Amino acid sequence: MNTTMPPHDITIRPIRASEADKHFELIQLVDLHTPAEELPGLFAALRGTLRDEGGPLSHGLHHHLFADSPDGTPVASIHCGPPLWIFRNPAIYPHMQRKLVERVSCIDTLAVHPDYRGRGIASSLLRRAEEDFRNAGFVALTLRHEHDKRHFFTRHGYTSASRLAMILPPFGLVTQANPGWRQAVKPLTDDVSFTTVQGLHAATGFLPH
């Protein structure tokens, strides 16, 4: 799975369970909007996912990737996993949850060490994650982002809005919002497209026909 992304001479690879602490060090370079007292629980959960090495992604339904500098030092990381909104939205029933987690994932963190920012490493990690999820049969990636990151994600093909709007048959229109955040989604295959419902730009095709 290793690949070098020119012109940065950066190697992108799965994170090993033994490298959890370095992963956490990079993650904390971005604002997690998580109270300090909740961080140990968050890192314990991530450590658990890192122990589950192997398909369909780097760690089951989770994808943890490092970007290494030429000397092998991890300088950036990305983590993607099953979207929490799938389990927290009361309109999404258990049978829908089981199907969604195998078709839609969420970018949780994307962090680059300050000394390596501005070199396109975040873009390379994003493209690699999208390619891997597409190859694993996923149809879309979602994420929540701060308002000032909107241009970055729209430049990479994500549709950003104040709420995530989806058509999930047989229920119909389902929305998800987090105060203070924007929601974004990117289709990975032609299964997913957008339509306008009740004035909202809604994604369709998350669930199989």
Side-chain angles (χ1 to χ4, degrees), residues 140-168:
L141 282 175
T142 66
L143 60 96
R144 66 175 191 174
H145 66 85
E146 296 161 312
H147 288 261
D148 62 354
K149 301 297 191 299
R150 179 178 182 179
H151 177 69
F152 173 81
F153 287 108
T154 56
R155 182 161 51 89
H156 287 83
Y158 288 79
T159 296
S160 175
S162 60
R163 62 180 56 236
L164 175 62
M166 306 157 278
I167 306 298
L168 299 179

Short mmCIF file of all heavy atoms in Angstrom, two decimals, residues 140-168:
data_model
loop_
_atom_site.label_atom_id
_atom_site.label_comp_id
_atom_site.label_asym_id
_atom_site.label_seq_id
_atom_site.Cartn_x
_atom_site.Cartn_y
_atom_site.Cartn_z
N ALA A 140 -19.19 7.42 -0.77
CA ALA A 140 -19.08 8.83 -0.39
C ALA A 140 -18.27 8.97 0.89
O ALA A 140 -18.20 8.07 1.72
CB ALA A 140 -20.46 9.45 -0.18
N LEU A 141 -17.64 10.14 1.03
CA LEU A 141 -16.99 10.54 2.28
C LEU A 141 -17.68 11.79 2.80
O LEU A 141 -18.06 12.68 2.02
CB LEU A 141 -15.51 10.84 2.05
CG LEU A 141 -14.57 9.65 1.92
CD1 LEU A 141 -13.16 10.13 1.58
CD2 LEU A 141 -14.55 8.83 3.20
N THR A 142 -17.85 11.86 4.11
CA THR A 142 -18.44 13.04 4.73
C THR A 142 -17.45 13.58 5.77
O THR A 142 -16.47 12.92 6.13
CB THR A 142 -19.77 12.70 5.43
OG1 THR A 142 -19.52 11.82 6.53
CG2 THR A 142 -20.75 12.05 4.47
N LEU A 143 -17.70 14.77 6.24
CA LEU A 143 -16.90 15.35 7.31
C LEU A 143 -17.60 16.60 7.83
O LEU A 143 -18.51 17.13 7.19
CB LEU A 143 -15.50 15.71 6.83
CG LEU A 143 -15.39 16.72 5.66
CD1 LEU A 143 -15.14 18.13 6.19
CD2 LEU A 143 -14.27 16.33 4.71
N ARG A 144 -17.18 17.03 9.01
CA ARG A 144 -17.57 18.34 9.50
C ARG A 144 -16.31 19.18 9.55
O ARG A 144 -15.22 18.67 9.82
CB ARG A 144 -18.24 18.26 10.87
CG ARG A 144 -17.33 17.82 12.00
CD ARG A 144 -18.05 17.87 13.33
NE ARG A 144 -17.10 17.70 14.43
CZ ARG A 144 -17.42 17.82 15.72
NH1 ARG A 144 -18.68 18.11 16.07
NH2 ARG A 144 -16.51 17.66 16.66
N HIS A 145 -16.44 20.47 9.25
CA HIS A 145 -15.24 21.32 9.23
C HIS A 145 -15.56 22.71 9.73
O HIS A 145 -16.71 23.15 9.73
CB HIS A 145 -14.65 21.37 7.81
CG HIS A 145 -15.52 22.05 6.80
ND1 HIS A 145 -15.52 23.42 6.62
CD2 HIS A 145 -16.43 21.57 5.92
CE1 HIS A 145 -16.38 23.74 5.67
NE2 HIS A 145 -16.95 22.63 5.22
N GLU A 146 -14.52 23.40 10.15
CA GLU A 146 -14.66 24.78 10.59
C GLU A 146 -14.92 25.67 9.38
O GLU A 146 -14.54 25.34 8.25
CB GLU A 146 -13.40 25.22 11.33
CG GLU A 146 -13.16 24.42 12.63
CD GLU A 146 -11.73 24.52 13.10
OE1 GLU A 146 -10.82 24.32 12.27
OE2 GLU A 146 -11.53 24.77 14.30
N HIS A 147 -15.55 26.80 9.62
CA HIS A 147 -15.93 27.68 8.51
C HIS A 147 -14.72 28.11 7.67
O HIS A 147 -14.83 28.24 6.44
CB HIS A 147 -16.67 28.91 9.06
CG HIS A 147 -18.05 28.59 9.55
ND1 HIS A 147 -19.19 28.82 8.81
CD2 HIS A 147 -18.48 28.03 10.71
CE1 HIS A 147 -20.26 28.43 9.48
NE2 HIS A 147 -19.85 27.95 10.64
N ASP A 148 -13.57 28.33 8.31
CA ASP A 148 -12.42 28.83 7.56
C ASP A 148 -11.74 27.75 6.70
O ASP A 148 -10.82 28.04 5.95
CB ASP A 148 -11.39 29.48 8.49
CG ASP A 148 -10.82 28.52 9.51
OD1 ASP A 148 -11.28 27.37 9.59
OD2 ASP A 148 -9.90 28.93 10.26
N LYS A 149 -12.21 26.50 6.82
CA LYS A 149 -11.65 25.42 5.98
C LYS A 149 -12.52 25.13 4.76
O LYS A 149 -12.23 24.21 3.99
CB LYS A 149 -11.52 24.13 6.82
CG LYS A 149 -10.64 24.27 8.05
CD LYS A 149 -9.20 24.59 7.70
CE LYS A 149 -8.27 24.45 8.91
NZ LYS A 149 -8.62 25.36 10.01
N ARG A 150 -13.55 25.92 4.59
CA ARG A 150 -14.49 25.65 3.49
C ARG A 150 -13.80 25.64 2.13
O ARG A 150 -14.03 24.72 1.32
CB ARG A 150 -15.62 26.68 3.50
CG ARG A 150 -16.63 26.50 2.39
CD ARG A 150 -17.74 27.53 2.48
NE ARG A 150 -18.73 27.33 1.44
CZ ARG A 150 -19.82 28.08 1.30
NH1 ARG A 150 -20.04 29.08 2.14
NH2 ARG A 150 -20.69 27.83 0.34
N HIS A 151 -12.95 26.62 1.86
CA HIS A 151 -12.32 26.70 0.55
C HIS A 151 -11.46 25.48 0.27
O HIS A 151 -11.45 24.94 -0.84
CB HIS A 151 -11.48 27.97 0.44
CG HIS A 151 -10.74 28.09 -0.87
ND1 HIS A 151 -11.39 28.30 -2.07
CD2 HIS A 151 -9.42 27.98 -1.17
CE1 HIS A 151 -10.49 28.33 -3.05
NE2 HIS A 151 -9.30 28.14 -2.52
N PHE A 152 -10.74 25.01 1.29
CA PHE A 152 -9.88 23.84 1.10
C PHE A 152 -10.69 22.64 0.62
O PHE A 152 -10.32 21.96 -0.34
CB PHE A 152 -9.14 23.50 2.40
CG PHE A 152 -8.36 22.21 2.34
CD1 PHE A 152 -7.10 22.18 1.74
CD2 PHE A 152 -8.88 21.03 2.86
CE1 PHE A 152 -6.38 20.98 1.68
CE2 PHE A 152 -8.17 19.84 2.79
CZ PHE A 152 -6.91 19.82 2.20
N PHE A 153 -11.80 22.38 1.30
CA PHE A 153 -12.57 21.18 0.96
C PHE A 153 -13.36 21.35 -0.33
O PHE A 153 -13.46 20.41 -1.13
CB PHE A 153 -13.47 20.78 2.12
CG PHE A 153 -12.70 20.19 3.27
CD1 PHE A 153 -12.52 20.90 4.45
CD2 PHE A 153 -12.13 18.94 3.16
CE1 PHE A 153 -11.79 20.35 5.50
CE2 PHE A 153 -11.39 18.38 4.21
CZ PHE A 153 -11.22 19.10 5.38
N THR A 154 -13.93 22.52 -0.59
CA THR A 154 -14.64 22.70 -1.85
C THR A 154 -13.68 22.61 -3.03
O THR A 154 -14.04 22.13 -4.10
CB THR A 154 -15.41 24.02 -1.87
OG1 THR A 154 -14.51 25.11 -1.62
CG2 THR A 154 -16.51 24.04 -0.82
N ARG A 155 -12.46 23.07 -2.82
CA ARG A 155 -11.45 22.97 -3.88
C ARG A 155 -11.15 21.51 -4.22
O ARG A 155 -10.72 21.21 -5.35
CB ARG A 155 -10.19 23.71 -3.43
CG ARG A 155 -9.07 23.73 -4.46
CD ARG A 155 -8.06 24.83 -4.15
NE ARG A 155 -7.61 24.78 -2.78
CZ ARG A 155 -6.57 24.07 -2.35
NH1 ARG A 155 -5.90 23.31 -3.20
NH2 ARG A 155 -6.20 24.10 -1.09
N HIS A 156 -11.37 20.63 -3.26
CA HIS A 156 -11.11 19.21 -3.50
C HIS A 156 -12.39 18.44 -3.83
O HIS A 156 -12.42 17.21 -3.74
CB HIS A 156 -10.43 18.60 -2.27
CG HIS A 156 -9.00 19.02 -2.12
ND1 HIS A 156 -8.63 20.21 -1.53
CD2 HIS A 156 -7.84 18.43 -2.53
CE1 HIS A 156 -7.32 20.32 -1.56
NE2 HIS A 156 -6.82 19.27 -2.16
N GLY A 157 -13.45 19.14 -4.21
CA GLY A 157 -14.64 18.48 -4.71
C GLY A 157 -15.71 18.18 -3.68
O GLY A 157 -16.67 17.46 -3.99
N TYR A 158 -15.58 18.71 -2.48
CA TYR A 158 -16.59 18.49 -1.44
C TYR A 158 -17.66 19.57 -1.52
O TYR A 158 -17.36 20.73 -1.77
CB TYR A 158 -15.95 18.50 -0.05
CG TYR A 158 -15.11 17.27 0.20
CD1 TYR A 158 -13.82 17.17 -0.33
CD2 TYR A 158 -15.60 16.20 0.94
CE1 TYR A 158 -13.04 16.04 -0.14
CE2 TYR A 158 -14.82 15.06 1.15
CZ TYR A 158 -13.56 14.99 0.61
OH TYR A 158 -12.80 13.87 0.80
N THR A 159 -18.90 19.18 -1.31
CA THR A 159 -20.01 20.11 -1.22
C THR A 159 -20.21 20.45 0.25
O THR A 159 -20.46 19.57 1.07
CB THR A 159 -21.30 19.50 -1.80
OG1 THR A 159 -21.10 19.26 -3.20
CG2 THR A 159 -22.48 20.43 -1.61
N SER A 160 -20.07 21.73 0.59
CA SER A 160 -20.13 22.18 1.98
C SER A 160 -21.42 22.95 2.22
O SER A 160 -21.83 23.78 1.41
CB SER A 160 -18.91 23.06 2.30
OG SER A 160 -19.00 23.60 3.60
N ALA A 161 -22.08 22.67 3.35
CA ALA A 161 -23.33 23.33 3.68
C ALA A 161 -23.46 23.41 5.20
O ALA A 161 -22.70 22.79 5.94
CB ALA A 161 -24.51 22.59 3.08
N SER A 162 -24.45 24.15 5.65
CA SER A 162 -24.66 24.28 7.10
C SER A 162 -25.18 22.99 7.71
O SER A 162 -25.05 22.78 8.92
CB SER A 162 -25.64 25.42 7.39
OG SER A 162 -26.89 25.16 6.77
N ARG A 163 -25.78 22.12 6.89
CA ARG A 163 -26.23 20.82 7.37
C ARG A 163 -26.07 19.78 6.27
O ARG A 163 -26.11 20.11 5.07
CB ARG A 163 -27.68 20.87 7.84
CG ARG A 163 -28.71 21.23 6.78
CD ARG A 163 -30.12 21.25 7.34
NE ARG A 163 -30.22 22.16 8.48
CZ ARG A 163 -30.65 21.79 9.69
NH1 ARG A 163 -31.02 20.55 9.91
NH2 ARG A 163 -30.74 22.66 10.66
N LEU A 164 -25.86 18.56 6.68
CA LEU A 164 -25.80 17.45 5.74
C LEU A 164 -27.22 16.98 5.47
O LEU A 164 -27.95 16.63 6.40
CB LEU A 164 -24.97 16.30 6.33
CG LEU A 164 -24.90 15.00 5.53
CD1 LEU A 164 -24.26 15.22 4.18
CD2 LEU A 164 -24.14 13.94 6.32
N ALA A 165 -27.62 17.00 4.22
CA ALA A 165 -28.97 16.58 3.83
C ALA A 165 -28.85 15.36 2.94
O ALA A 165 -28.07 15.34 1.99
CB ALA A 165 -29.70 17.70 3.10
N MET A 166 -29.63 14.32 3.27
CA MET A 166 -29.56 13.04 2.55
C MET A 166 -30.96 12.52 2.26
O MET A 166 -31.87 12.73 3.06
CB MET A 166 -28.83 11.99 3.40
CG MET A 166 -27.46 12.40 3.89
SD MET A 166 -27.00 11.44 5.38
CE MET A 166 -27.88 12.39 6.65
N ILE A 167 -31.10 11.83 1.16
CA ILE A 167 -32.30 11.08 0.87
C ILE A 167 -32.02 9.62 1.20
O ILE A 167 -31.20 8.97 0.55
CB ILE A 167 -32.73 11.21 -0.60
CG1 ILE A 167 -32.86 12.68 -1.00
CG2 ILE A 167 -34.03 10.47 -0.84
CD1 ILE A 167 -33.91 13.44 -0.23
N LEU A 168 -32.65 9.12 2.28
CA LEU A 168 -32.43 7.74 2.72
C LEU A 168 -33.75 6.98 2.65
O LEU A 168 -34.58 7.06 3.56
CB LEU A 168 -31.89 7.72 4.15
CG LEU A 168 -30.54 8.42 4.38
CD1 LEU A 168 -30.15 8.33 5.85
CD2 LEU A 168 -29.45 7.82 3.51
#
